[in-house]
Amino acid sequence: MLDPKLIRETPDLVRAAIAKKHLKVDLDSVLGADAAWRAHLQEVEHLRSVQKAANAAMATLPKGSPEFVAKLSEMKAVSSQIKEKDAGLKAAEEACREAMLTLPNLPHASVPEGATPEQNVVYSTHGDLVSVSPHAVAHWDIPGFARLYDFERGSKVTGAGFPFFIGDGARLVRSLINFFLDEDAKAGYREVSPPIFINAASATATGQLPDKEGQMYETTPDRLFAVPTAEVPLTNFFRDEILDEASLPVLRCAYTPCFRREAGSYGKDVRGLNRLHQFDKVELLKWVHPSRSYEELDALRNDVEGLLRKLEIPYRVLLMCGGDLGFAQSKKYDLEVWAGGQKRWLEVSSCSNFEAFQARRAQIRFRSKESGKTELVHTLNGSGLAVPRVLAAILENNLESDGRVRIPEALVPYFGKPHLSFAG
RNA sequence: GGAGAGGUGGCAGAGUGGUCGAAUGCGCCUGACUCGAAAUCAGGUGUGCCGCAAGGUACCGGGGGUUCGAAUCCCUCCCUCUCCGCCA
């Protein structure tokens, strides 16, 4: 949610910023709903002040006195009037809130112009693409792949996109999760193991609801949602709380499985491990002072890049253009690993600054020593990292002539041996 | 799942229909005293929203109701605690 004052006072600025995201938003109807709500509010509050004054007077009058009786009948009329207008006020308030929720976050000035993913800016590229994978093939074409990554049985048991990970395949998943958590902890992120179901209020605070309902798995009859990312429970950890300014920045990391319905995906994007309905991910989250959020974004991206460097995976960083920014982000970097067999880049992390957008929805604030008032924090998050695509890149890039996969040195202590074998 | 108790400000804890946004204590902030501190004394100390402002208004777990008037009465939902049952 945006600052209502900003919308009222500088609508043209908001309009221009939204245009940079190439989104169509009816700002005028938002402004209209806001004005209607304020008019209703003033009307009702005036009536209430009349009522309050009369009630204070009645409290001192003898119960049966003529003055009391006169006030009583007078206030009966006011009371029913308030009741009537209050219904209108609630409707106007709801309409206003709904309208406000349709407004996306504004992009930062440093976000490049552009409408499509092709216009994202390649911010940096790391590693050797050519010589890194002399034997690479797409991971699903590796002989024996199906023995360790069983999609058919996954389909039988649950559905497409829910594979079994078996033997060394499962072990590599676990190694990556542990490696990520340990590295993230070293970088200062405190580990959290959150609930993997969230309620509607939490999903609304982070922006999954009301629009992206169809992307989540929902349970009945409790109306809980399987987490699409640990970002949701993690961000909501401090919902409706006022933090101590001295505690900022707060850094947290969490591993969870992530569940995404991914309605409408098809083709090469979804082959093999590229896109699953359930996958493992470690998420990084920061609650920071507003004055420092862009420095913190750079630091976050650096932390994630460090993981890829240690795993010796070639990667590149994209700076997302306005049109490819998400609804809630002010600025976003995507990190993509090179999958040498598929010869394509796979997104393994998005590092985003949400500024106060999520914090306003979630009411996460701190008390400023300087002003003495409460202010909204800025929230940032990034994957550190998504497991299956990292795993795919390792399988493809590190495939050796004997059909085994070389485990990156940093991962060997976790995996327990230097090679993964598809034989067993 | 069953039975009971309870949800009030940063914390503890009063308040059971009327000038209650809410006593009191603790904590915290400011000032006085002090070389400084402690102790003591005085004052202050919740969060929003509307309004240029003056000011107004809302919030006692959430929602609804009764009433001229609700922290207080009624309904409903949620949560916490204790006991029992079940269970990884």
Side-chain angles (χ1 to χ4, degrees), chain A residues 7 33 37 56 178 180 238 247 283 304 333 338 357 362 379 397:
Chain A
I7 301 167
W37 167 68
N178 287 338
F180 293 152
F238 291 121
S247 71
E283 186 73 6
V304 178
Y333 295 98
W338 177 250
F357 191 80
T379 59
N397 297 349

Side-chain angles (χ1 to χ4, degrees), chain A residues 231-246:
Chain A
E231 170 196 340
V232 183
L234 230 39
T235 304
N236 278 282
F237 185 87
F238 291 121
R239 176 148 54 88
D240 297 324
E241 293 191 28
I242 297 171
L243 307 179
D244 183 355
E245 186 175 20

Side-chain angles (χ1 to χ4, degrees), chain A residues 279-299:
Chain A
F279 64 98
D280 294 302
K281 181 162 67 66
V282 172
E283 186 73 6
L284 305 176
L285 222 124
K286 291 186 175 190
W287 295 259
V288 309
H289 193 284
S291 65
R292 292 192 39 85
S293 68
Y294 282 93
E295 296 163 51
E296 293 285 358
L297 178 63
D298 286 336

Side-chain angles (χ1 to χ4, degrees), chain A residues 102 138 154 178 190 204 212 217 241 305 349 365 371 388 405:
Chain A
T102 65
N178 287 338
R190 190 174 194 200
T204 304
K212 292 172 210 146
Y217 290 96
E241 293 191 28
E305 287 189 49
S349 179
R365 295 166 292 172
S371 68
V405 171

Side-chain angles (χ1 to χ4, degrees), chain A residues 59-339:
Chain A
T60 62
L61 291 172
K63 280 278 157 56
S65 67
E67 297 96 319
F68 187 93
V69 173
K71 281 271 186 208
L72 189 104
S73 65
E74 191 186 325
M75 283 306 108
K76 275 192 181 177
V78 172
S79 179
S80 68
Q81 207 181 345
I82 288 176
K83 208 160 276 184
E84 195 181 307
K85 303 258 184 196
D86 199 44
L89 173 63
K90 280 206 174 131
E93 189 176 3
E94 185 54 31
C96 183
R97 181 179 159 77
E98 268 172 33
M100 291 280 185
L101 285 176
T102 65
L103 297 180
N105 198 2
L106 309 182
H108 188 255
S110 62
V111 169
E113 300 284 348
T116 64
E118 288 70 40
Q119 289 167 279
N120 293 331
V121 172
V122 178
Y123 185 79
S124 62
T125 305
H126 310 260
D128 178 2
L129 270 51
V130 182
S131 62
V132 74
S133 49
H135 307 285
V137 295
H139 60 273
W140 53 81
D141 287 332
I142 298 172
F145 175 75
R147 259 202 295 279
L148 302 194
Y149 302 94
D150 192 334
F151 283 74
E152 286 197 15
R153 289 201 175 88
S155 294
K156 176 177 71 179
V157 172
T158 302
F162 291 92
F164 280 89
F165 295 74
I166 301 158
D168 275 1
R171 189 180 185 89
L172 186 51
V173 169
R174 182 158 56 90
S175 305
L176 284 167
I177 294 168
N178 287 338
F179 170 73
F180 293 152
L181 285 172
D182 283 352
E183 292 297 320
D184 294 336
K186 274 188 225 164
Y189 299 83
R190 190 174 194 200
E191 184 176 346
V192 174
S193 180
I196 62 169
F197 288 95
I198 46 151
N199 58 30
S202 295
T204 304
T206 34
Q208 275 72 27
L209 295 179
D211 282 344
K212 292 172 210 146
E213 202 157 4
Q215 291 291 337
M216 293 189 290
Y217 290 96
E218 182 177 354
T219 65
T220 47
D222 299 306
R223 195 167 154 78
L224 295 175
F225 300 88
V227 290
T229 161
E231 170 196 340
V232 183
L234 230 39
T235 304
N236 278 282
F237 185 87
F238 291 121
R239 176 148 54 88
D240 297 324
E241 293 191 28
I242 297 171
L243 307 179
D244 183 355
E245 186 175 20
S247 71
L248 300 178
V250 178
L251 278 59
R252 295 279 168 89
C253 65
Y255 154 72
T256 63
C258 300
F259 302 89
R260 299 190 184 172
R261 295 188 64 230
E262 305 284 11
S265 305
Y266 63 93
K268 64 185 189 323
D269 283 352
V270 303
R271 282 207 71 178
L273 297 166
N274 286 359
R275 181 165 306 205
L276 303 171
H277 287 310
Q278 177 186 333
F279 64 98
D280 294 302
K281 181 162 67 66
V282 172
E283 186 73 6
L284 305 176
L285 222 124
K286 291 186 175 190
W287 295 259
V288 309
H289 193 284
S291 65
R292 292 192 39 85
S293 68
Y294 282 93
E295 296 163 51
E296 293 285 358
L297 178 63
D298 286 336
L300 174 66
R301 194 197 64 237
N302 257 318
D303 291 336
V304 178
E305 287 189 49
L307 299 171
L308 292 172
R309 280 196 287 267
K310 283 188 177 154
L311 293 176
E312 307 161 47
I313 303 172
Y315 71 94
R316 65 176 187 177
V317 180
L318 300 180
L319 174 56
M320 311 308 277
C321 70
D324 208 28
L325 259 184
F327 182 79
Q329 289 90 354
S330 287
K331 186 173 183 176
K332 178 166 94 166
Y333 295 98
D334 269 7
L335 275 67
E336 299 183 329
V337 294
W338 177 250

